[in-house]
Amino acid sequence: MLLTGKKILIGISGSIAAYKSILLVRLLVKAGAQVKIVMSPAAKDFVSPLVLSTLSNNEVLADLSNKNSWANHVQLGRWADVMLIAPASCNTLSKMANGICDNLLMAVYLSATCPVAVAPAMDEDMWHHPATKRNLDLLESYNNRLIPVQNGELASGLFGDGRMAEPEYIFHFLIANYFRSSSLKNKKVIVTAGPTYELLDPVRFISNHSSGKMGYAIAEAFYLQGADVTLVTGPTNQIVNFSAIDVVNVMSSNEMFDAVTVRMDDIDIALMCAAVADYKPVAIADNKIKKKDTNWQLELEKTKDILQFIGDNKKPNQFIAGFALETNNEKENAILKLKNKKADCIILNSLNKDNSVFGADKNKITIIDSLEVAHNFESKSKREVANDIVSFIISKITDEKK
Ligand code: C5P
C-alpha cells in the first residue's frame, strides 16, 4: 500500500471544516498509514473524538494532562514523519505563527521536529485580512507547507476563498510532498493515454472504448517514483491527482503524434499506452455531412504510428515501451511488435472473456522484454499493474547501468 509504515500526525482545530478530517483519516488509514490525532479543545465541538479514535485506531488526545497522566507532546512530534494541521482555523494559524502554547495541539506543533503541512480554513474576510496574510508568511518562513484554500461556499453562506481543501486533495498533497520515492528523480517520462478522436465532420468522429485508466495510473506511478511526468492524453473522464504532472490534452492521432515527438529530445522513458486510432478519414468535412438515401463509402487512411516513430528515432539512453492488445497468437504478435517498433518492452493485454480491458478496474498483463522473455503477472487493479510496469522498467534501466 502507498503509505504502509508512514506515520502521520493530524492536528485538528476548531472549524466547521473539521468534518472533512474524518474522511481524510479514513483515506490515510486505508492507504496503510499510521495516524495519530491531536485536537484543540474547540475542535471537539465540531467533530467527535470517538469517531476519530475509532477510524485511526489510536487514542485521540486533546488535553495537556488529565488527572492521571501528562500527554507527551515532544514524543508525538518526534514519532511522526509529517504533521498535518487540518483544519487550521484563523485562531490556530495565528497562534502557530506567534508561538503561543496554550493547548496540547500548540505544544505538539511547537515541539514537532518533523515537517509540517497546514490546511487553513476560514471565512473569506478573515482569509483576506492582512493579519492572516502576515501569519501565513510567517508559517512559510518556518518551512511549514501551506495547502491552498479553495474558492466556494463558506460556513457563513457566502461564496469566496477560504474553504479548506478537500480530503482527496490533502491526501495527494501529502503523498506528493512527503512520500514520493526518488528512484526516478530527474528522469523525464512521457506517457500517452486514452483514445483518439478522428473527425469526420464537426460533429462526428471515429474512436474506441479506451477509458484512459491504465495510462493515467501509469503516469501517476512514474510520478510517485520521483520522475518528471508528461501525460499526453486523448479525451477521457479521468482526473490526474497530482498537479505536478504535466497534462497535455489532445484529440486526434496527429495532435498526439506532434505532442509526443516534439518532446522526445530530452525524454528518458516513453510509454505509449494510448489506444490511437489506426485509421482516420482522408478528409474532414467543413460542415456536418448530410444524411442521404444511399449508402456512404468512407475513405480512411492510416494514422501516424507514434510508437513506431519514436522507436525508429530512439536515442541511446532512451527506454521505450508500448502496449499490445491481442485477441489471438498473443505472444507471437507481441514479439513482432517489439521487433518492428524497436521498443525495449511490450506490455501485452489480452482481450478475452476473462480479461476485458476497456474501462475495467483490473487488468492482467505479460511484459515481453527486449530478449523476448515473457514476464507474467496476476490479474490486479490497474493501479497495481501500473506499479508492476514501473518497477519492471526501473529494474531494466538499473540493469542496463550495471
Ligand atoms: O500496432 P498497434 O496499434 O497494435 O500497437 C500498439 C502500440 O502502439 C501501443 O503502445 C500504442 O499506444 C502504440 N501506437 C501508437 N500510435 C499509433 C498506433 C499505436 O503509438 N498510431
Side-chain angles (χ1 to χ4, degrees):
M1 280 191 286
L2 202 53
L3 295 178
T4 300
K6 307 295 183 205
K7 301 186 187 107
I8 301 172
L9 178 59
I10 302 186
I12 303 176
S13 67
S15 154
I16 192 74
Y19 77 91
K20 293 185 188 173
S21 50
I22 295 176
L23 301 170
L24 179 62
V25 170
R26 182 90 190 101
L27 283 174
L28 292 168
V29 170
K30 264 177 82 178
Q34 294 175 47
V35 176
K36 290 191 180 177
I37 298 166
V38 188
M39 299 174 85
S40 73
K44 289 197 273 183
D45 291 336
F46 293 93
V47 64
S48 140
L50 181 62
V51 174
L52 292 165
S53 65
T54 310
L55 290 177
S56 65
N57 303 312
N58 275 311
E59 185 190 0
V60 172
L61 300 170
D63 302 306
L64 274 160
S65 62
N66 61 30
K67 55 181 178 312
N68 301 319
S69 63
W70 171 77
N72 191 333
H73 52 85
V74 177
Q75 206 176 46
L76 275 170
R78 292 192 173 208
W79 166 84
D81 293 317
V82 58
M83 178 175 191
L84 165 75
I85 306 199
S89 65
C90 192
N91 190 28
T92 292
L93 211 67
S94 158
K95 289 195 230 169
M96 288 164 69
N98 294 291
I100 296 171
C101 186
D102 65 349
N103 62 36
L104 178 65
L105 170 56
M106 291 313 307
V108 174
Y109 166 70
L110 291 168
S111 51
T113 50
C114 60
V116 178
V118 186
M122 64 196 76
D123 238 282
E124 185 174 34
D125 296 331
M126 295 163 110
W127 176 249
H128 287 301
H129 196 282
T132 306
K133 170 85 183 81
R134 194 205 55 168
N135 289 335
L136 292 170
D137 290 345
L138 281 171
L139 292 183
E140 276 190 318
S141 76
Y142 311 153
N143 284 331
N144 294 172
R145 279 188 209 232
L146 298 178
I147 303 180
V149 293
Q150 295 179 340
N151 184 280
E153 191 177 359
L154 300 163
S156 58
L158 297 174
F159 280 77
D161 293 334
R163 268 178 75 88
M164 187 174 88
E166 294 303 318
E168 284 270 354
Y169 183 96
I170 297 177
F171 175 74
H172 289 106
F173 182 98
L174 292 179
I175 294 168
N177 284 281
Y178 303 109
F179 301 119
R180 270 171 89 201
S181 146
S182 56
S183 317
L184 291 176
K185 195 160 189 260
N186 298 326
K187 294 277 181 216
K188 297 210 177 333
V189 175
I190 194 160
V191 177
T192 63
T196 61
Y197 285 7
E198 309 301 333
L199 292 185
L200 291 162
D201 68 17
V203 294
R204 302 187 181 94
F205 56 83
I206 297 175
S207 190
N208 57 63
H209 285 300
S210 171
S211 67
K213 265 186 204 162
M214 194 66 245
Y216 278 60
I218 292 171
E220 292 197 348
F222 272 122
Y223 174 75
L224 292 175
Q225 292 300 325
D228 297 330
V229 180
T230 301
L231 172 66
V232 180
T233 171
T236 73
N237 292 325
Q238 306 301 316
I239 53 154
V240 175
N241 290 303
F242 302 105
S243 56
I245 295 181
D246 180 24
V247 180
V248 182
N249 288 295
V250 297
M251 193 155 77
S252 65
S253 55
N254 265 350
E255 285 173 17
M256 190 174 273
F257 180 91
D258 291 345
V260 173
T261 53
V262 80
R263 290 173 170 81
M264 277 312 289
D265 268 357
D266 53 349
I267 289 294
D268 299 294
I269 302 168
L271 197 154
M272 300 294 101
C273 185
V276 185
D278 291 325
Y279 292 91
K280 66 185 176 71
V282 169
I284 305 173
D286 288 338
N287 297 308
K288 186 180 169 200
I289 299 166
K290 292 269 180 237
K291 185 162 61 176
K292 295 193 190 119
D293 289 338
T294 51
N295 286 348
W296 176 15
Q297 298 286 338
L298 184 63
E299 197 183 344
L300 302 176
E301 65 184 356
K302 282 195 81 170
T303 55
K304 294 186 212 168
D305 190 322
I306 309 166
L307 179 58
Q308 183 76 64
F309 183 88
I310 63 173
D312 287 341
N313 294 283
K314 184 172 120 105
K315 298 198 173 55
N317 289 321
Q318 286 183 332
F319 188 97
I320 292 177
F323 265 77
L325 178 65
E326 303 291 340
T327 49
N328 62 312
N329 297 335
E330 298 180 322
K331 201 174 155 202
E332 293 78 354
N333 287 333
I335 290 174
L336 269 180
K337 207 157 286 184
L338 178 82
K339 286 187 184 152
N340 291 341
K341 302 208 188 196
K342 303 188 186 81
D344 294 292
C345 74
I346 287 285
I347 301 138
L348 174 65
N349 268 318
S350 337
L351 186 67
N352 54 39
K353 60 180 180 324
D354 304 313
N355 181 35
S356 48
V357 175
F358 288 127
D361 287 322
K362 283 192 153 193
N363 199 4
K364 181 165 166 37
I365 57 157
T366 302
I367 305 183
I368 318 277
D369 69 19
S370 55
L371 301 172
E372 299 174 20
V373 177
H375 304 259
N376 296 309
F377 293 82
E378 297 296 314
S379 174
K380 299 179 180 182
S381 76
K382 286 189 175 170
R383 293 224 163 261
E384 290 168 307
V385 171
N387 289 336
D388 286 343
I389 293 170
V390 170
S391 305
F392 178 85
I393 294 177
I394 292 174
S395 75
K396 286 290 158 192
I397 296 174
T398 324
D399 280 355
E400 272 167 24
K401 276 203 197 133
K402 281 181 193 157

